[in-house]
Amino acid sequence: MDTLPLAVSGGDAGPLTPAELRELYTLMVAVRHLDTSAIAWQRQGIIPGYAPELGQEAAQVGSGYAVDTTRDFVFPTYREMGVARTMGVDMVGYMSTHKATWHGGLYNPLESRLAPIQAVVAGSVLHAVGWAHGQTLENSDGGTTGVALTYFGDGASSQGDVHEALNFAAVMKAPVVFFVQNNGWAISVPTERQVAGGSVAARAAGYGMPALQIDGDDVVAVVEATRRAFAHARAGNGPVLIEAMTYRRGPHSTSDDPGRYRSLDEERDGAGEDPLERLRKRLLADGIADEAFFAEALAAAKAEEEHIRNGIQALGSRPGTEMFDLVFQETTPALQAQAANWREESEHV
Amino acid sequence: MSNPTIESRTSPAATAPAATTVMSMQQALNRALDEVLADNPKAVIFGEDCGRLGGVFRITDGLQAKHGEQRVFDTPLAESGILGMSVGLAMAGFHPIPEVQFDGFAYPAINQIVCQIARMNYRSRGTLPMPITLRVPSFGGIRAPEHHGESLEALFAHVPGLKVVSPSTPHEAYHLLKYAATRPDPVIFMEPKSRYWQKGEVDPATHDADGGSPTGAKVMREGRHLTLVAWGAMVARCLQVAELAAEDGIDIEVLDLRWLKPIDAAALAASVRKTRRAVVVHEAPLTSGLGAEVAQLITQSCFDTLRAPVERVTGFDVPYPSGDLEDEYIPNIDRILFGIQRVLEYKRG
Ligand SMILES: Cc1ncc(C[n+]2csc(CCOP(=O)(O)OP(=O)(O)O)c2C)c(N)n1
């Protein structure tokens, strides 16, 4: 594809070390296990809904791995559990949004560097541009710049906001990495019925923005591409778009029935090789890890899942007063009156 | 409702009206759309996932297979695009029946709805009518994620040039949708999603057996002591409340407003002049909600007969909360009973 190349810039960390590769595997197993478990939780009635990411582990773990949580900021959608886990976000707080405890999740966005979970498709892509431009404003004297990493899907790329964001970022040379997970589907609509012109990456050229279309199921390729894009943006060269080609293997959400729009054969053909299996083979072939290591990673993932499940089961509901207390920083008399009424009528006093 | 100048383009349903049958609201809406497509060759249905999948709520289930991909089609994921395109289709002589997948995703289309659809007839001095029926799965009650349960009626009703209607039962859904989809003006059709799977009797032959107007409000239960005014999902809840109150000898009338714009002021007046007391119930926030409009219409026509100020039992001025707090937010039976009590016990100062 004919896209603008990345500016050559320093800061590339070089090839991944064996320790890093093992860490990536551990993260991917944790994410895979938690993801599959969350679907089971929904079936068991522990949570009302969930947006699975089966098959997207490499895209999520790989891109999240490039984030420097001391200075970067990430803007997720509703499907970035793997990114959150990779960044070290409190996973009980993260899952609480799927538990229907609190919209956006109960983790602290400022501390974790992960914006609240976003249910509006493309809802936070422009926010990323704004945050990134803030970095430019603050670092006009040449300090080191934080980079905004924003996630969206092939479906979301149809939203006008995405086009506005790409244009803004390019015009303002904002340090943003637009990370598109092209998982082949927007609920029932396949990419070819969603994205004109064949790819999202191809559009970037129209905004004068470099773009990388990568194998999103190869975690090593994802880490390397994301690191390059970060280095480019951090050095003041403006935004980069990465389109990670991957496949959503399961349903869109726990209330979706993919059998209505694709056959199991189509699913098998589209999905290609399991990204987790791919990394495993690579580690074995390179002699970086052995069966004992894989078993240990799985055991750790299971223990972690149990801990998170216990955590969300123990969560309970938030007190109803928070419904009123958290609308504003400075509340209003009308809201206070409604809260008082509510307390009285719900016998919560 | 002012009677439109352009009459329905076509004759009655191509499908011969069958006898009364029991069906869910989802089935009733599906059937209405099927008949609209059969009757009006210019009717087209489109939106996100409404083709092959049949919509996430299956309202358009089977319609693409039956009527073809020209008449029922999936669009890219862009609400502004869907509604903006409706304008051009209407200008080309079509009768667009677009869908936004969930209420909260009407917001990205607000610009096209408010600045364009609502004004085109006016702007063009009546030469460019906008026969657009926008179906919006609406209101809460299903523990959905953020933006998947909102009450936008006041917002839409406030916009000059839009009409707003909401059905409360399968029968109403069938007839109101068939009616709305043959009008020459833009109608926002708010489907109470928590009622989609509730069954009820549908008489396809007549909408209002007692000869009432399809544009009017409808008395769903007669009573002498007080009128509960509601629409959408709240009608069923008010009927429940009326049953409970009857056990205490309080005889409540339940008025289904049906049209939220224009409001049937005559029906309101007739009911409240009889009962002399009224409570409006809605899920939307209190401040600047439709309850205020209804209360004012009642005050204006019934000031001399009213025994107490009109009460409102509503949602609160808070963002629609997460599933765990939903029952605290949506008017429940107790809160409606408190509202009734406030009116019944009102003493003039
Ligand atoms: C503005 C908006 N419109 C509609 C929806 C409903 N919806 C949720 S996810 C989705 C498909 C998104 O597809 P894509 O962007 O490709 O991301 P994916 O879910 O495949 O990760 C739709 C239509 C939404 N959340 N936001």
Side-chain angles (χ1 to χ4, degrees), chain A residues 100-103 119-121 155 158-159 186-189 194 260-261 317-318 320 323-324 327 335 338 342 345, chain B residues 49 52-53 58 61 76-79 101 146-147 286 316-318 320-325 328 335 338 342:
Chain A
T101 309
W102 200 263
H103 291 318
V120 179
V121 150
S158 302
Q159 292 279 334
I187 308 189
S188 71
V189 179
Q194 185 72 249
R260 282 184 159 251
Y261 50 82
S317 299
R318 302 304 306 171
M323 181 163 69
F324 301 96
V327 182
L335 206 48
Q338 288 176 30
W342 169 81
E345 293 189 346
Chain B
D49 305 289
R52 191 153 173 199
L53 185 67
R58 309 285 183 262
D61 198 11
L77 210 180
E79 291 75 15
Q101 201 162 73
E146 192 173 10
H147 311 292
L286 177 77
F316 303 110
D317 295 359
V318 310
Y320 197 94
S322 200
D324 280 356
L325 288 175
E328 306 283 359
R335 280 177 53 212
F338 274 120
R342 287 199 294 275

Side-chain angles (χ1 to χ4, degrees), chain B residues 87 91 111-130 160-161:
Chain B
V87 174
M91 288 169 71
N111 168 45
Q112 286 295 333
I113 297 171
V114 174
C115 302
Q116 306 302 331
I117 292 175
R119 288 163 178 255
M120 196 56 93
N121 191 71
Y122 190 74
R123 187 183 288 150
S124 69
R125 303 178 62 80
T127 57
L128 297 175
M130 289 284 115

